[in-house]
Amino acid sequence: MGNAVGRERVVRMSVEQPLWRALTGYRLLTLVYAIGLFASSYEVYERPWVGAGYFAVLAVWTLATLPQVSGARRCTKRFLTADLTIAVAGILLSPVAGHERAVTGGSTLPSIWTAGAVLAWALKGGWRWAAGASLLIGVANVLQRGDITRGLIHSVLLVCIASIAIGYVVEVARASERTLARALEIEATTRERERLARDIHDSVLQVLAMVQRRGTALGGEAAELGRMAGEQEVALRTLVAGGLVPASRASEDAEDGAVVRTVLEPAEPAEDEGAGPRDLRPLLAGHAGGHITFSEPGAPVPMRPAAARELAAAVSAALDNVRLHAGADASAWILVEDESDAVIVTVRDDGPGIPEGRLAQAEGEGRLGVALSIRGRLRDIGGTAELISVPGQGTEVELRVPKK
């Protein structure tokens, strides 16, 4: 059927990944802070060896588990449980170490390191997990102090609210990522379906239509063959049209004799193939002759190979429409313009033009020549196609492809 214009490239980066990196840094910084806080008041502890032993375990644990907090996949529930256990143990060991401030409202042994354990639960499981971990930390603080003070309530609520908010943001981010991934998958599928439909239109459907016309003209057994080819053409057009969303509409508000103007919008350009530029002129020069006049610049018109091929195919489709709808005796002109920011190819004919509403009707019948073979090709290479038709004065198709 032909090669795709380019490969769909989807670079997926988790929205929550920066939060995991921030958590890694937070755990390291708060570890240093907690150790410094303990060292600065070492002499006031009645049993400093308890604190020293705890910080030895905490330092080894924090450094050894850095890979676990690098992302959601490695951060298992078993790790989170052990991490929270170490945080709770540090809180409960604070009065055992013999620091009076740990009971009267001062900092516990792990200090603000405990918030990192709660945030890990928030990033992994969302706001519900965060609420549960915050509640456990709050209970541990109440137990080690033996009283509920205003300062304690303030600290617990601060950690709880912050972790729940972060957990909620993570849940929203994950839902958005799933929606985006699904949308990208649908877009890639639709583009591939449109590419296949273009190939079918440019080959199989046109052959079936030709067999139908020739068979009807010859009569006899050939007429029966033509009838069968016509039935298959209709069935195949229905199948192609059934999988595609109509892409262009003729103006329904134009009055009799008004200009029918359909502007076909661009999409994201397809990925380059990495090959060197290709001159567009030889790809179009073969159409010259007979009733077709070809006008080109005197210098090469360099384009990306994929873009040049698709633009040439769109010109061929436009000329096929001229032969099919304007008649074999209709004249056509191809004009190539190489501007500073774009390559413009105009295909004009002196046929009867397109009647009002004909494009929409053709799409409804599964005849998607303009929508697929012209608009679809230009969209895939980041270009636009503008069709202007005045009944009785011919049709003009302007194909514009940006150079960047």
Side-chain angles (χ1 to χ4, degrees):
M1 286 292 184
N3 295 324
V5 174
R7 295 183 178 88
E8 294 288 339
R9 183 176 64 181
V10 179
V11 180
R12 297 193 60 186
M13 177 180 176
S14 175
V15 176
E16 66 187 77
Q17 195 58 42
L19 295 177
W20 286 104
R21 288 196 292 267
L23 177 61
T24 302
Y26 179 86
R27 288 167 67 92
L28 290 173
L29 291 175
T30 53
L31 172 65
V32 174
Y33 174 78
I35 292 176
L37 201 63
F38 172 74
S40 65
S41 56
Y42 182 84
E43 65 281 354
V44 302
Y45 281 91
E46 295 179 6
R47 288 174 288 277
W49 56 269
V50 174
Y54 174 76
F55 279 113
V57 173
L58 185 63
V60 171
W61 173 259
T62 302
L63 296 176
T65 57
L66 287 180
Q68 271 66 41
V69 291
S70 62
R73 180 173 298 180
R74 293 186 176 184
C75 190
T76 63
K77 197 170 183 179
R78 179 180 298 179
F79 160 76
L80 290 172
T81 302
D83 198 53
L84 192 60
T85 300
I86 290 178
V88 171
I91 295 172
L92 297 179
L93 282 174
S94 297
V96 177
H99 193 346
E100 184 180 352
R101 288 188 61 198
V103 178
T104 59
S107 175
T108 59
L109 284 175
S111 184
I112 57 176
W113 185 92
T114 57
V118 176
L119 292 176
W121 280 82
L123 293 181
K124 176 66 175 182
W127 70 269
R128 294 174 181 83
W129 286 27
S134 300
L135 179 62
L136 187 58
I137 292 294
V139 171
N141 276 281
V142 172
L143 290 176
Q144 68 93 14
R145 294 189 182 182
D147 190 16
I148 300 178
T149 64
R150 180 176 298 178
L152 175 60
I153 294 176
H154 174 78
S155 299
V156 171
L157 284 179
L158 184 62
V159 172
C160 184
I161 293 174
S163 59
I164 289 176
I166 292 177
Y168 180 75
V169 169
V170 169
E171 288 186 1
V172 172
R174 286 173 179 164
S176 300
E177 278 188 330
R178 289 192 293 269
T179 302
L180 176 60
R182 179 57 180 161
L184 292 174
E185 181 182 345
I186 292 174
E187 180 186 7
T189 302
T190 301
R191 287 201 174 195
E192 179 63 12
R193 184 181 294 154
E194 288 185 354
R195 184 189 68 81
L196 293 174
R198 283 199 302 269
D199 291 339
I200 291 173
H201 177 272
D202 292 346
S203 56
V204 181
L205 290 177
Q206 291 187 358
V207 170
L208 289 175
M210 182 185 68
V211 171
Q212 180 187 21
R213 291 194 300 270
R214 295 294 298 274
T216 302
L218 292 174
E221 295 183 357
E224 178 64 17
L225 181 62
R227 184 188 65 80
M228 295 174 62
E231 292 176 354
Q232 295 303 311
E233 180 196 3
V234 172
L236 189 54
R237 286 188 185 277
T238 302
L239 179 63
V240 170
L244 299 173
V245 178
S248 60
R249 297 288 186 192
S251 174
E252 297 178 357
D253 300 325
E255 299 176 355
D256 292 340
V259 175
V260 178
R261 187 182 185 88
T262 304
V263 178
L264 311 170
E265 299 295 342
E268 290 295 327
E271 186 179 347
D272 240 336
E273 296 177 349
R278 183 173 184 178
D279 189 2
L280 176 67
R281 299 178 303 167
L283 297 179
L284 302 180
H287 295 297
H291 297 281
I292 300 177
T293 302
F294 177 55
S295 301
E296 58 178 311
V301 182
M303 295 185 67
R304 291 179 286 114
R309 286 197 304 271
E310 291 301 300
L311 181 55
V315 171
S316 297
L319 292 175
D320 288 339
N321 287 336
V322 172
R323 287 187 287 268
L324 181 62
H325 301 293
D329 296 331
S331 297
W333 294 265
I334 304 173
L335 173 62
V336 179
E337 300 174 86
D338 188 8
E339 296 188 350
S340 59
D341 60 341
V343 174
I344 303 174
V345 179
T346 304
V347 180
R348 183 170 61 86
D349 65 69
D350 61 355
I354 302 176
E356 179 186 353
R358 179 61 186 129
L359 290 179
Q361 179 184 355
E363 290 179 15
E365 296 172 352
R367 301 179 182 275
L368 303 177
V370 172
L372 293 180
S373 294
I374 299 178
R375 175 187 180 272
R377 293 185 189 280
L378 267 293
R379 182 205 63 196
D380 284 349
I381 57 177
T384 60
E386 184 174 342
L387 188 147
I388 302 174
S389 182
V390 180
Q393 299 183 30
T395 301
E396 179 177 301
V397 179
E398 182 183 278
L399 311 174
R400 175 185 292 267
V401 179
K403 290 185 175 181
K404 297 182 180 179

